[in-house]
């Protein structure tokens, strides 16, 4: 993700950094993979304002991301790199060979036209999804499950990643973005 800086014409602009969006290749999102984001404008279930100064803004559609990646041993091609207004990470629109489309989190280095695959038979390369126990030591991973089969819960934001430190008895030690070392099930 390339970043641009701004001239300090005001105090608010002095340290501002923003993405350049030059990696985005998607023109329009896949409509079946989006859902509307309903705004509350600071009102509760009775319609009364409970939080002041909320409201307005542009209408948004959230992209539905496949955090489970359970379509094993089916190759998919990256069709586009997409922007989601509700999250910090870019998404990759992938089309499986059997015709199914989905969005996944786009890791750094994933380009349009690359092939990705899910499951224990996949290679440990950028964009592929496989159990932690099969990934080489020292590699950085993202979108990790806490419980096998539950879907990714850890390291899902832009720039987040965990480093694989050690393996032992079906367990894997990961160094979290905070520096903490946590133990995960190797099937995650």
């Amino acid at each position: 993700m390339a970043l641009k800086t701004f001239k300090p014409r005001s105090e608010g602009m002095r340290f501002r950094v923003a993405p350049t969006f030059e990696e985005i290749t998607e023109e329009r999102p896949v409509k079946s993979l989006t859902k509307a984001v309903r705004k509350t404008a600071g009102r509760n279930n009775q319609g009364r304002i409970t939080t002041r100064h909320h409201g307005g803004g542009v209408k948004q559609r959230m992209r539905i991301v496949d955090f489970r990646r359970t379509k094993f041993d089916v190759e998919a091609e990256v069709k586009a790199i997409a922007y989601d207004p509700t999250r910090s990470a870019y998404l990759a629109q992938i089309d499986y060979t059997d015709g199914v489309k989905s969005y996944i989190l786009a890791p750094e280095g994933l380009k349009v036209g690359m092939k990705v695959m899910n499951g224990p038979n996949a290679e440990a390369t950028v964009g592929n999804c496989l159990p932690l126990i099969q990934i080489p030591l020292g590699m950085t991973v993202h979108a990790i499950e806490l419980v096998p089969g539950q879907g990714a819960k850890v390291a899902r934001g832009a720039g987040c990643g965990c480093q694989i430190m050690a393996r032992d008895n079906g367990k894997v030690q990961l160094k979290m973005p905070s520096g903490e070392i946590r133990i995960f099930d190797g099937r995650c």
Side-chain angles (χ1 to χ4, degrees), residues 69-139:
R69 309 262 315 248
T70 54
K71 207 168 205 23
F72 295 152
D73 302 327
V74 179
E75 200 172 67
E77 183 182 356
V78 178
K79 289 293 185 186
I81 302 296
Y83 171 77
D84 187 351
T86 62
R87 66 182 79 240
S88 62
Y90 287 158
L91 302 178
Q93 179 201 334
I94 59 174
D95 292 357
Y96 290 98
T97 52
D98 61 1
V100 177
K101 296 181 179 193
S102 72
Y103 282 116
I104 61 169
L105 292 180
E108 185 139 6
L110 192 69
K111 305 279 186 230
V112 175
M114 290 177 74
K115 304 284 186 195
V116 295
M117 200 166 146
N118 309 329
N121 298 330
E123 276 184 59
T125 57
V126 173
N128 286 356
C129 178
L130 55 154
L132 288 173
I133 201 84
Q134 295 180 338
I135 300 174
L137 295 178
M139 199 166 190

Side-chain angles (χ1 to χ4, degrees), residues 2-187:
L3 300 173
K4 61 183 175 185
T5 57
F6 297 87
K7 288 188 176 181
R9 298 184 197 276
S10 69
E11 287 303 312
M13 297 291 280
R14 185 168 300 278
F15 299 107
R16 181 162 183 221
V17 179
T20 60
F21 299 108
E22 58 194 26
E23 292 141 22
I24 302 295
T25 60
E26 184 180 62
E27 297 289 324
R28 291 189 173 271
V30 179
K31 187 113 185 205
S32 62
L33 295 176
T34 64
K35 65 180 180 183
V37 177
R38 303 287 179 215
K39 305 212 189 264
T40 61
R43 285 159 171 77
N44 65 6
N45 63 340
Q46 298 170 336
R48 295 193 177 127
I49 293 178
T50 56
T51 309
R52 298 188 308 155
H53 312 301
H54 279 218
V58 71
K59 194 187 286 191
Q60 296 178 334
R61 290 193 70 82
M62 180 180 11
R63 278 59 168 178
I64 300 167
V65 180
D66 180 16
F67 287 115
R68 289 223 164 103
R69 309 262 315 248
T70 54
K71 207 168 205 23
F72 295 152
D73 302 327
V74 179
E75 200 172 67
E77 183 182 356
V78 178
K79 289 293 185 186
I81 302 296
Y83 171 77
D84 187 351
T86 62
R87 66 182 79 240
S88 62
Y90 287 158
L91 302 178
Q93 179 201 334
I94 59 174
D95 292 357
Y96 290 98
T97 52
D98 61 1
V100 177
K101 296 181 179 193
S102 72
Y103 282 116
I104 61 169
L105 292 180
E108 185 139 6
L110 192 69
K111 305 279 186 230
V112 175
M114 290 177 74
K115 304 284 186 195
V116 295
M117 200 166 146
N118 309 329
N121 298 330
E123 276 184 59
T125 57
V126 173
N128 286 356
C129 178
L130 55 154
L132 288 173
I133 201 84
Q134 295 180 338
I135 300 174
L137 295 178
M139 199 166 190
T140 302
V141 294
H142 73 285
I144 306 151
E145 297 176 325
L146 290 171
V147 176
Q150 190 179 50
K153 304 284 187 210
V154 177
R156 293 182 354 179
C160 288
C162 299
Q163 187 177 12
I164 297 183
M165 303 300 283
R167 280 193 290 260
D168 188 37
N169 292 338
K171 302 287 184 190
V172 176
Q173 287 184 8
L174 294 180
K175 185 176 184 183
M176 307 297 280
S178 64
E180 172 193 7
I181 294 181
R182 287 186 66 173
I183 298 173
F184 287 81
D185 191 321
R187 297 170 296 161

